[in-house]
Amino acid sequence: MSPGTVAMEGAKPSSSQSDGGESMALRFVDLCKGLDLDVSLTSQGMSLFKAIRPVLLANLSSIGSGSPEEVERIWLAFILYCVTKLGKSNHGGEGQNRIKLFQILKAAKLNTVDFFREASQFSLKAGPILSNLYSPDWDRRLELAELQAVVIQLNNLCRFYKRAYLQFFLVNDTVSDKSSAASGSTCYISDYHQFGWLLFLALRIHASSPFKDLVTCTNALVSVLAILILHVPKRFRSFSIDDSSVFVKKSGKGVDLLASLSHVYNTSEDDLRRTLENANKLIEDILKKKPQLASECKAENLYSINTDGLTYFDDLLDEKSLEKNLLILEKDYDDAINAKGELDERISANEDDSSVTSQSLLGGGSNISGAKRFDALASPAKTITSPCLVHSAASPGIVSVQTKMVSGTPVSAAMTMAKWLRTVISPLPSKPSAELEHFFSLCNGDVTSHVIRRANVILEAIFPSNSFGERLPTTNLMDNTWAEERKSEALKLYYRVLETICKAESKLQNGNNLPSLLSNERFHRCMLACSAELVLATHNTVIMIFPAVLERTGITAFDLSKVIENFVRHEETLPRELKRHLNSLEERLLESMAWEKGSSMYNSLIIARPSLSAEIDRLKLLAEPMPSLDAIGTLQNTSTPGLLPLPFQKREASPDGNGDPRSPKRQCTEHGNVLAEHNSPGPVKEHLFGTPKSKLHLLQSAFASPARPNPAGGGTYADTEINVFFRKILKLVAIRIKTLCERLKCSEQFLENVYWLIQQILNQRTTILFNRHIDQVILCSIYGVAKVSQISLTFKEIINNYRKQPQSKPEVFRSVFVNCRNGKMGEGHVDIITFYNEVFVPSVKPLLVEVGPDGIAQKNSKLTEEKNNSDGQIPGSPRLQPFPSLPDMSPKKVSASHNVYVSPLRQSKKDALLSPSSKSYYACVGESTHAYQSPSKDLTAINNRLNWSGSENVLVDSYDIYL
């Protein structure tokens, strides 16, 4: 049976579509008038609108998740922002004369979340037009990805601040009408809560060091909490200063407030003190308050607090001056954002927590069963490692304080990782150890000086000093002190892991000489990039968003993947959050980044599958040569505006360390949803797509020249590399189609047919994946198999269920790459249905027919010896396999009303937990909790332990349950 085609499910045309966009043009003119744009910008805006209008009208029904009218307003706002940011105004278009994004959104009556949720789609559709008008680097100059990261970061910080405020203070109803009217506030908890947030924003604006990372911002908020604890009237407290479970650091002089807060929130006490000094200075300068030594004051709030080194302001938050102080802070912030801001950051405190999430900002899928987790594919250990905040049952508005903040939030994850860097990595030396230098000396010529020079050049490119950063866009500024600290952390981590890897590789080779590895330029750059990315991920910075670290080092994501598993295995102290981050990067690599233009994967693929070379060359997919260290160093000293994010357009053709003249640099076209990666609380037990430890091939093999014969097996190193890569992809495919088919309630046979089809596509129709996302092939394969199997399943049903997947992104089904349509050459993007009809079906129709009623998928044993075909299957490539046996897809939510998850428990962990000293805290089905007790009573005991507030783990049926 022929798979056929699927009809487009279009929406009714809007009024703008019916009149050719004339009414839209009038509304755009009105919007320009409302913003009082000058004549030059209005003219440029109308020109850009006319150029983009055909694209908008053609895609109005397929772009955006709102009504056509809302999509239109977002598009018009996007056009205006492009013009005001990229165009030339009569007033220079800078500073107070330039219209800012928050003003555009206000005039267009748009929510910040809605705008950023759809911005990536508009950028994709309008990209070619903007490139022609404003140069190819328009998206870097627009800084939308950085602004989106700022919005996500601020909303995470706002949630953290709200929870922390409720830890210490009661909710009161004295919100000032005047100050609320000034900021548009509707959701501040109280005047004191509002004061704290405005003081935090003042710190962000006026501090000498840019607040570009989550750790620095969290330190600022904790310092604000300290000021509130010292100054908010005592009657609004929900805590007792004598509570030893909260204020754990005490001396003969009383509670050490900053040390206690540092303990609760995992901050550095030194950093907290410095930030507090800055905050006190702002209060003195902006609010004109006279500081006093707290040790000389007799205020009621200071009772039982060690006041040494603390500052107190007499009338800072008393009722008669609070309203005045709020108005002063509001005016100060208004002046600041009118001068140099794009976003009104006060809105973060006004948004409803339920409506603003990282996923909503990124346009991701629905949040199923609690927080979305990209590592739900791996079986996790327990999530919570410390007590969390517990809402008081007696008073829902008050939160009792425990000794640690809520686990699993972006802020708690960042602070946990920062503590690891501070306590484990920072004390290490900033140079190779004697043992590592010994490995260097055993190479063909001591490579120590080369390793040190390379590390300094690469890390300076990733963490530039202020003199270099000043030539970057405003959101990319790096404070010199901050950059030096991060560079030092990355350098120490690099040396530490490099030494561990050298020891492990040496044991595998029964010797100490590792010349091929330690002399390989690409290997070292990958290690440095991985170290720097972990430091950046720890601090959750908006300055350098992945894959920016790859661009600065001149490598590709495919290169980085070669060291990810080794990095995880050889740094045993790596926090689970950073392991998750590395796993998520590998997942992004497998699903799309390795298939993008400029990926080094194609340099190996063209050797492993020579018959694909014509298509690879036609699409110009090969990676460009890797830039030399001299080129990177020179760029740092001579960079001009606009060069750094696209630094290596002209590359030296000199070979790299392994003699391969095609060393790559990935062309960055995707900002991705890396920011959501910090939001997943589930832990990682092992590397997601890694091979068993006993089967790990040496790193030397991974970084060998692809064309060289592999002495360990038939073919070249490229053959081995591509086969390993494809096996990982099939593992990811199996996981994703299993979860999606379960949502669609498909049979096991259907699942196996889909898996068989994708195996065939990967081996026989590899070109379908070029420049595309693996999920696009999955969606089309599921629909195609359903069609030929005569199963009633629509594309709409498939996409609606796909939206609920953790990794889903709207661009997967809205924008699929095509390089020719209807016989006409030219690149572009179409929706998933058009791609299915025009590209997928013509290419895989013979394979789809074989999955029909007679089911070739049921005859796998006869098809395991597939020969080469027109698409160039590798000789001796892996046989087609039945659907693999996957680990339990955990964690699973087992309670509709409580955040209780279950995941398989390893026997070794169970044995440790059930030691005589701890056995009484756990219950296992199959082992009675008391002698001669019935199973029903056993279950009751287990439930009681689940409900016990002090319990974090309970074992049920050999599963680990955590809240």
Side-chain angles (χ1 to χ4, degrees):
M1 176 182 176
S2 172
T5 60
V6 58
M8 297 291 291
E9 299 171 293
K12 293 181 179 179
S14 66
S15 59
S16 298
Q17 290 172 305
S18 59
D19 65 8
E22 292 302 321
S23 60
M24 189 192 305
L26 294 176
R27 288 189 288 271
F28 181 74
V29 172
D30 290 340
L31 187 58
C32 292
K33 291 180 179 178
L35 288 165
D36 197 24
L37 257 65
D38 62 42
V39 176
S40 175
L41 285 179
T42 300
S43 175
Q44 294 175 59
M46 185 53 67
S47 298
L48 180 58
F49 169 78
K50 291 179 179 178
I52 291 180
R53 178 167 56 182
V55 179
L56 172 58
L57 293 176
N59 295 278
L60 198 59
S61 61
S62 62
I63 292 182
S65 55
S67 65
E69 290 73 19
E70 182 184 39
V71 173
E72 177 190 308
R73 292 203 311 275
I74 297 175
W75 192 284
L76 297 184
F78 178 81
I79 293 173
L80 269 180
Y81 178 64
C82 290
V83 170
T84 57
K85 186 75 171 178
L86 305 176
K88 295 181 179 179
S89 168
N90 290 336
H91 302 292
E94 298 295 337
Q96 296 186 13
N97 294 319
R98 189 175 69 77
I99 302 296
K100 310 299 173 58
L101 178 59
F102 75 90
Q103 295 170 317
I104 295 173
L105 298 182
K106 183 178 180 180
K109 300 179 181 178
L110 285 172
N111 183 286
T112 307
V113 175
D114 293 335
F115 176 79
F116 280 106
R117 183 174 55 234
E118 307 298 345
S120 60
Q121 284 300 300
F122 296 146
S123 297
L124 189 60
K125 295 291 185 182
I129 297 171
L130 294 172
S131 293
N132 291 334
L133 291 176
Y134 298 113
S135 79
D137 69 337
W138 63 269
D139 59 336
R140 179 193 62 79
R141 293 164 55 201
L142 208 58
E143 297 179 320
L144 272 177
E146 290 80 4
L147 289 175
Q148 185 181 39
V150 169
V151 174
I152 293 174
Q153 184 185 87
L154 282 169
N155 278 281
N156 288 330
L157 288 166
C158 185
R159 286 190 182 86
F160 163 76
Y161 172 59
K162 182 177 180 180
R163 283 192 295 265
Y165 182 89
L166 289 174
Q167 282 183 268
F168 295 103
F169 304 105
L170 300 173
V171 177
N172 65 329
D173 56 359
T174 60
V175 178
S176 168
D177 293 335
K178 292 182 179 179
S179 60
S180 297
S183 65
S185 169
T186 58
C187 297
Y188 282 114
I189 295 172
S190 71
D191 282 351
Y192 303 113
H193 176 263
Q194 183 180 6
F195 176 88
W197 185 255
L198 289 175
L199 182 59
F200 162 69
L201 295 182
L203 273 170
R204 282 174 59 89
I205 294 170
H206 297 293
S208 58
S209 302
F211 277 45
K212 301 294 186 181
D213 68 287
L214 196 61
V215 174
T216 303
C217 290
T218 303
N219 286 333
L221 279 175
V222 175
S223 72
V224 167
L225 283 175
I227 291 173
L228 293 178
I229 289 172
L230 292 175
H231 293 87
V232 170
K234 194 173 181 179
R235 66 181 179 276
F236 293 114
R237 289 180 174 178
S238 63
F239 66 90
S240 169
I241 199 68
D242 298 319
D243 186 350
S244 60
S245 66
V246 180
F247 301 102
V248 297
K249 304 294 184 179
K250 297 182 179 180
S251 66
K253 294 183 177 182
V255 169
D256 190 331
L257 180 60
L258 297 188
S260 295
L261 291 176
S262 295
H263 175 78
V264 171
Y265 297 109
N266 283 332
T267 64
S268 163
E269 188 175 343
D270 292 337
D271 290 342
L272 185 58
R273 290 187 182 276
R274 285 193 293 268
T275 310
L276 182 60
E277 291 175 3
N278 291 334
N280 289 332
K281 187 68 167 59
L282 281 178
I283 292 174
E284 182 180 355
D285 294 342
I286 298 176
L287 299 179
K288 308 303 180 184
K289 300 297 181 182
K290 183 180 179 180
Q292 302 178 63
L293 293 176
S295 58
E296 299 177 358
C297 298
K298 303 298 181 182
E300 181 186 23
N301 278 20
L302 302 180
Y303 173 76
S304 295
I305 294 178
N306 183 354
T307 54
D308 291 349
L310 297 179
T311 300
Y312 187 77
F313 300 91
D314 260 338
D315 58 346
L316 179 64
L317 293 180
D318 59 19
E319 293 184 9
K320 63 181 180 181
S321 60
L322 177 57
E323 181 179 337
K324 177 184 175 182
N325 291 338
L326 285 173
L327 290 173
I328 293 173
L329 288 175
E330 291 277 5
K331 184 179 184 305
D332 178 77
Y333 187 78
D334 282 332
D335 294 341
I337 62 170
N338 287 329
K340 57 182 180 181
E342 286 292 351
L343 299 168
D344 188 340
E345 298 172 346
R346 289 170 295 189
I347 63 171
S348 296
N350 302 331
E351 296 286 0
D352 179 10
D353 279 356
S354 63
S355 65
V356 182
T357 66
S358 298
Q359 292 302 326
S360 65
L361 282 162
L362 293 161
S366 302
N367 191 349
I368 304 302
S369 298
K372 291 173 67 171
R373 52 195 73 208
F374 50 76
D375 62 315
L377 314 178
S379 178
K382 66 185 177 69
T383 300
I384 293 183
T385 58
S386 60
C388 63
L389 303 181
V390 181
H391 287 267
S392 169
S395 180
I398 302 176
V399 181
S400 60
V401 185
Q402 301 295 319
T403 57
K404 290 288 181 181
M405 69 175 115
V406 173
S407 197
T409 67
V411 174
S412 68
M415 300 312 291
T416 299
M417 293 184 289
K419 183 178 181 179
W420 170 75
L421 277 179
R422 188 170 65 247
T423 58
V424 177
I425 303 302
S426 292
L428 298 174
S430 298
K431 60 180 182 179
S433 66
E435 189 166 2
L436 186 55
E437 286 188 345
H438 176 68
F439 283 115
F440 293 158
S441 66
L442 294 176
C443 294
N444 298 326
D446 192 338
V447 297
T448 304
S449 60
H450 298 291
V451 170
I452 294 175
R453 174 179 176 268
R454 180 192 299 110
N456 289 331
V457 172
I458 294 296
L459 292 178
E460 179 63 27
I462 299 172
F463 302 103
S465 62
N466 232 359
S467 59
F468 185 39
E470 285 172 354
R471 293 190 289 268
L472 298 177
T474 54
T475 52
N476 285 331
L477 287 176
M478 272 191 192
D479 172 69
N480 188 51
T481 302
W482 187 92
E484 287 297 326
E485 290 174 351
R486 304 293 81 77
K487 182 163 59 177
S488 175
E489 290 167 346
L491 182 66
K492 293 172 180 179
L493 179 59
Y494 161 67
Y495 286 141
R496 175 185 173 99
V497 180
L498 180 60
E499 179 179 342
T500 308
I501 287 178
C502 286
K503 291 177 181 177
E505 290 288 309
S506 177
K507 289 181 180 178
L508 288 173
Q509 297 185 81
N510 298 318
N512 290 326
N513 195 5
L514 304 172
S516 62
L517 186 65
L518 294 179
S519 301
N520 190 289
E521 178 74 18
R522 195 180 306 177
F523 164 70
H524 284 286
R525 293 199 192 187
C526 290
M527 290 289 294
L528 288 163
C530 194
S531 300
E533 176 59 29
L534 289 179
V535 170
L536 290 166
T538 293
H539 289 269
N540 202 339
T541 175
V542 300
I543 301 174
M544 290 276 290
I545 303 173
F546 189 83
V549 67
L550 304 182
E551 299 165 5
R552 301 287 177 93
T553 53
I555 62 173
T556 76
F558 186 71
D559 294 325
L560 185 67
S561 71
K562 299 175 184 178
V563 303
I564 286 179
E565 183 174 356
N566 283 277
F567 219 99
V568 172
R569 290 189 183 278
H570 292 104
E571 181 45 66
E572 295 181 352
T573 67
L574 203 65
R576 66 168 64 92
E577 291 85 0
L578 290 179
K579 292 179 181 179
R580 285 199 302 271
H581 180 65
L582 290 178
N583 280 345
S584 71
L585 293 186
E586 186 169 18
E587 187 173 343
R588 287 179 60 193
L589 155 72
L590 294 172
E591 69 183 15
S592 63
M593 292 177 69
W595 299 100
E596 292 175 355
K597 184 177 182 180
S599 168
S600 59
M601 186 272 297
Y602 291 109
N603 295 61
S604 296
L605 188 62
I606 203 170
I607 297 172
R609 299 194 177 188
S611 60
L612 294 176
S613 60
E615 184 68 3
I616 292 173
D617 289 337
R618 185 179 73 83
L619 295 175
K620 300 178 180 179
L621 299 175
L622 282 176
E624 299 175 358
M626 185 166 62
S628 68
L629 279 178
D630 290 336
I632 295 177
T634 301
L635 185 70
Q636 294 177 33
N637 297 324
T638 62
S639 178
T640 55
L643 285 183
L644 186 62
L646 298 172
F648 309 122
Q649 295 175 351
K650 294 182 180 180
R651 306 181 189 284
E652 301 178 12
S654 59
D656 64 3
N658 62 12
D660 182 7
R662 287 175 171 175
S663 294
K665 184 266 168 193
R666 176 180 170 272
Q667 180 181 1
C668 174
T669 58
E670 176 191 350
H671 297 294
N673 60 344
V674 64
L675 300 163
E677 293 160 8
H678 303 289
N679 299 334
S680 300
V684 172
K685 280 188 175 178
E686 58 187 27
H687 190 70
L688 182 56
F689 302 106
T691 54
K693 221 170 191 178
S694 60
K695 296 182 180 179
L696 285 175
H697 58 281
L698 298 180
L699 270 173
Q700 288 93 326
S701 301
F703 286 92
S705 177
R708 287 175 52 193
N710 186 352
T716 63
Y717 281 113
D719 294 322
T720 303
E721 195 172 31
I722 293 299
N723 284 337
V724 170
F725 177 66
F726 279 13
R727 282 199 298 270
K728 290 183 177 183
I729 285 192
L730 287 173
K731 177 70 173 294
L732 177 62
V733 165
I735 292 168
R736 291 191 174 177
I737 65 174
K738 181 177 177 63
T739 55
L740 185 52
C741 287
E742 284 178 352
R743 293 187 191 280
L744 294 168
K745 299 180 179 178
C746 299
S747 67
E748 286 294 323
Q749 184 60 56
F750 181 90
L751 180 68
E752 292 180 5
N753 287 349
V754 172
Y755 183 72
W756 176 88
L757 177 62
I758 295 177
Q759 281 190 86
Q760 295 281 26
I761 290 172
L762 191 61
N763 286 319
Q764 300 185 33
R765 300 291 187 271
T766 315
T767 55
I768 286 183
L769 286 142
F770 290 0
N771 263 337
R772 297 189 179 107
H773 194 292
I774 189 68
D775 285 357
Q776 293 164 345
V777 175
I778 290 175
L779 294 175
C780 290
S781 297
I782 289 176
Y783 181 81
V785 172
K787 194 79 171 176
V788 299
S789 302
Q790 301 179 12
I791 296 174
S792 178
L793 187 62
T794 66
F795 239 126
K796 183 177 181 180
E797 291 177 283
I798 296 172
I799 292 175
N800 284 343
N801 281 277
Y802 172 74
R803 287 177 183 270
K804 301 173 184 178
Q805 297 285 95
Q807 82 284 356
S808 70
K809 292 181 288 187
E811 53 263 36
V812 169
F813 49 85
R814 291 179 185 170
S815 301
V816 189
F817 171 80
V818 291
N819 61 337
C820 63
R821 289 192 65 192
N822 301 323
K824 298 180 180 179
M825 299 302 295
E827 296 183 355
H829 290 82
V830 298
D831 61 79
I832 190 73
I833 295 177
T834 303
F835 168 73
Y836 175 84
N837 288 332
E838 298 186 6
V839 178
F840 186 83
V841 169
S843 178
V844 305
K845 185 176 180 179
L847 300 176
L848 276 170
V849 171
E850 294 185 54
V851 188
D854 295 331
I856 196 170
Q858 302 172 20
K859 305 174 183 178
N860 278 330
S861 59
K862 296 181 180 180
L863 296 174
T864 54
E865 301 294 337
E866 283 284 334
K867 296 182 179 180
N868 292 348
N869 52 69
S870 59
D871 230 8
Q873 184 176 352
I874 302 175
S877 62
R879 295 180 175 185
L880 295 176
Q881 299 293 331
F883 193 84
S885 175
L886 297 176
D888 185 62
M889 305 300 285
S890 59
K892 292 181 178 179
K893 190 170 185 179
V894 295
S895 171
S897 57
H898 301 287
N899 286 327
V900 181
Y901 296 85
V902 60
S903 63
L905 190 66
R906 290 176 299 189
Q907 185 62 42
S908 59
K909 184 178 178 184
K910 188 197 302 183
D911 293 340
L913 290 176
L914 295 183
S915 62
S917 61
S918 61
K919 190 170 183 178
S920 62
Y921 292 103
Y922 303 93
C924 292
V925 172
E927 179 179 353
S928 182
T929 56
H930 293 85
Y932 309 109
Q933 184 166 279
S934 67
S936 63
K937 291 183 178 179
D938 279 342
L939 292 174
T940 300
I942 292 171
N943 288 331
N944 289 337
R945 292 180 184 185
L946 269 177
N947 294 326
W948 176 45
S949 62
S951 174
E952 291 177 12
N953 282 346
V954 182
L955 303 180
V956 179
D957 196 18
S958 298
Y959 276 68
D960 184 10
I961 292 184
Y962 51 91
L963 305 179

